[in-house]
Amino acid sequence: MATSPPYPPHPPQPPQPPQPGAVPEGGGIRHAHWWQRTWVRYGALIALLALSGLVILALVREQTGTQGFLVGLGLAVLPVPLLIAVFRWLDRVEPGPWRNLVFAFAWGACAAALIAIVANSFATRWIATATADPAGADTLGATVVAPVVEESAKAAAVLLVFLFRRRDFTGLVDGVVIAGVTGTGFAFTENILYLGNAFGTDQLTGDGGIASVTAATFFVRIVMSPFAHPLFTVLTGIGFGVAALSAHRRRARRVLLPLAGLLLAMVMHALWNGSASFGEWGFLAVYGAFMVPAFAVLTWLVVWTRQRELGTVREELPAYAAAGWLAPGEPYALGSMRARRLARDHARRYLGKPAAREVARYEAYATSLAFLRHRGSLGRAGADFVVRERELLNELWRRKDVARPALEHAARMTAPPVPLAVPPWPGYGVLGPGHPGYGGPSHGRPGHGGPGQGYPGQGYPGQGPSGQGPSGQGPSSHGQGGYGYPTGPGPYPGPYPGHGPYHPYRS
């Protein structure tokens, strides 16, 4: 455990440009490839997922037939892009690497689905043999066995990311995203099975259209409840996310919280599966009384957490701006999703897509730095706090020439203007309302504030119509538009036209 020092280190003076092909100081970046250091483990994981995918493909095709499999696949894939986009949107403050999401989806769709099919079938057959009651065995398997097996299998993906990609798993949102994508992958495979079987039933009975079993299954699983499995697993992810925020010394809490989330996911899953046995209106009752409110509460919680993360960025990064690592306007821009988007668009417009990607990486590193310092201020950072801080600062410093002008532009575009009060009396260097040069382009007398008669302090340093120095030289007495926005090249020259020092803002 470590705490952040009261003041961040200062940047190197003068800055040394990185050598081509050189490894940055500290030897790592935020999304460090653990698999580059352990090729054997990475290869074994790929082989496991590929083998699971082949086996689950064969099992599903055997149960549904080729036509049923193709129909189920075509229908089950429909909600997947939407769900992935939603979870990716939630992760925009500190976006994790795509490979984590690919792993989570593949685990849910292949490994977890294979475990669930094999274990559920074995347990149901065992219960039916032991009780000589196949109908009761099916009900018990759906309400007790399936929730325990399926949620445990999906939780394994969250646990693996939590253990082996710890730098990418720093809070509640990370747990929600990894768990939700895992649940999305599991639901995808399960929907193929259910929709394929429904299509096979319709083929035998000759039903079709809206009255078919396929249409009813599609409506229930794809239209009404595409979020069911992701919702269950998200409860487990919240437990892991809160555990990630806990101090290392609280080991009991770090173990019990994920277990509590897993238990809650199992209970919610059992309630959902058991709704069919609650009578004719059991499904709608559970859906309206539990599923929809739980979905709404979790959505609010994640969005609220995301806003808190943006607040943490605005609170922690000014220390690095004071030390010289960031420009003064960057903490505001990095704490606003709209400003971040404007910065990427600005870089893309003038320097192309590679520059926009560099700005996006800069934003991700800066966010990780803010979260690291926040954990350090709470005494929750690891022993490698100083090393990790230096790694992130070096990554920012390498990209500052591209990212800083774009973020300064975004800060000027999004910062709220600060109106300046106009004194009701004339003073030295200020012409009253009755004077012909007041508020207009006429020039004042020498010694009375200079051309344009700007108020002292209205003009900010920098070249442009906003003025130079305290006299506020410009075409009007109020600088540009009354707020003194700098428009000329400022103290940080860069590749973008018209960039200058940051616009004053109120956080």
Side-chain angles (χ1 to χ4, degrees):
M1 181 180 65
T3 58
S4 59
Y7 301 103
H10 291 278
Q13 295 294 336
Q16 299 295 328
Q19 298 297 327
V23 178
E25 182 181 350
I29 58 175
R30 175 182 183 272
H31 308 311
H33 299 272
W34 61 267
W35 46 269
Q36 289 182 343
R37 303 189 301 270
T38 55
W39 282 102
V40 175
R41 180 169 56 187
Y42 179 68
L45 181 61
I46 291 293
L48 173 64
L49 292 177
L51 181 61
S52 300
L54 292 175
V55 174
I56 196 68
L57 175 64
L59 289 176
V60 172
R61 182 179 175 277
E62 181 183 0
Q63 294 189 33
T64 62
T66 302
Q67 286 187 339
F69 173 79
L70 294 177
V71 171
L73 177 64
L75 297 177
V77 77
L78 294 179
V80 172
L82 176 61
L83 291 172
I84 296 296
V86 168
F87 288 115
R88 192 62 176 173
W89 176 82
L90 292 175
D91 201 30
R92 291 305 299 169
V93 176
E94 189 188 19
W98 271 104
R99 56 182 169 272
N100 284 357
L101 302 186
V102 171
F103 162 75
F105 185 87
W107 183 276
C110 300
L114 178 60
I115 293 172
I117 288 180
V118 174
N120 289 343
S121 300
F122 175 80
T124 302
R125 285 198 301 267
W126 181 83
I127 294 173
T129 303
T131 61
D133 183 10
D138 289 338
T139 302
L140 188 62
T143 56
V144 177
V145 176
V148 173
V149 171
E150 293 175 8
E151 295 307 321
S152 299
K154 290 184 289 181
V158 187
L159 176 63
L160 289 174
V161 177
F162 181 82
L163 293 178
F164 297 105
R165 301 305 300 271
R166 193 64 183 84
R167 286 186 173 182
D168 300 327
F169 205 122
T170 58
L172 187 145
V173 173
D174 295 318
V176 167
V177 171
I178 295 299
V181 173
T182 304
T184 301
F186 185 90
F188 169 67
T189 300
E190 191 177 70
N191 286 337
I192 296 175
L193 181 62
Y194 277 89
L195 290 167
N197 287 332
F199 178 79
T201 302
D202 290 334
Q203 291 291 95
L204 293 176
T205 60
D207 294 333
I210 299 179
S212 65
V213 178
T214 303
T217 304
F218 178 84
F219 179 75
V220 171
R221 298 190 65 88
I222 305 300
V223 177
M224 290 191 65
S225 58
F227 58 86
H229 270 290
L231 176 62
F232 305 147
T233 317
V234 159
L235 297 174
T236 303
I238 290 177
F240 277 99
V242 177
L245 295 173
S246 303
H248 289 273
R249 63 178 179 273
R250 298 184 177 180
R251 295 186 177 180
R253 184 177 180 181
R254 292 167 64 86
V255 173
L256 293 177
L257 284 173
L259 292 177
L262 176 60
L263 179 61
L264 188 58
M266 292 176 180
V267 172
M268 194 76 176
H269 195 160
L271 184 65
W272 173 252
N273 285 359
S275 62
S277 60
F278 294 163
E280 183 179 357
W281 301 100
F283 169 78
L284 293 178
V286 171
Y287 185 84
F290 294 96
M291 295 294 290
V292 173
F295 178 79
V297 170
L298 290 179
T299 301
W300 170 84
L301 176 63
V302 174
V303 173
W304 175 77
T305 303
R306 170 175 155 148
Q307 295 302 316
R308 285 197 62 185
E309 289 182 342
L310 291 173
T312 298
V313 172
R314 291 191 294 268
E315 293 171 2
E316 299 294 343
L317 289 185
Y320 296 99
W325 288 99
L326 305 176
E330 287 186 61
Y332 173 83
L334 291 167
S336 166
M337 298 306 297
R338 176 170 175 260
R340 289 186 176 200
R341 184 181 67 255
L342 287 175
R344 295 191 298 271
D345 293 342
H346 191 70
R348 184 182 299 107
R349 183 180 305 113
Y350 290 104
L351 295 179
K353 292 182 179 180
R357 287 193 292 267
E358 287 297 290
V359 173
R361 294 189 186 101
Y362 187 95
E363 294 169 350
Y365 290 130
T367 305
S368 298
L369 181 64
F371 291 170
L372 177 69
R373 187 166 184 84
H374 182 67
R375 292 194 300 272
S377 64
L378 299 177
R380 298 173 181 173
D384 63 341
F385 173 86
V386 176
V387 175
R388 180 63 178 152
E389 181 186 44
R390 177 62 66 173
E391 290 177 358
L392 293 170
L393 288 172
N394 287 340
E395 293 297 334
L396 294 177
W397 197 253
R398 290 171 55 200
R399 295 169 172 83
K400 66 181 179 66
D401 292 337
V402 174
R404 179 174 290 179
L407 287 168
E408 289 178 337
H409 167 79
R412 289 196 300 271
M413 294 298 100
T414 58
V418 182
L420 302 176
V422 179
W425 58 86
Y428 179 78
V430 180
L431 302 180
H435 195 280
Y438 176 79
S442 62
H443 298 279
R445 298 186 298 271
H448 286 261
Q453 299 300 337
Y455 300 118
Q458 277 187 278
Y460 294 97
Q463 300 174 0
S466 60
Q468 299 178 351
S471 62
Q473 297 177 4
S476 70
S477 65
H478 294 278
Q480 186 185 68
Y483 302 111
Y485 293 152
T487 57
Y492 303 114
Y496 305 103
H499 75 270
Y502 79 104
H503 176 267
Y505 59 88
R506 292 178 179 174
S507 58

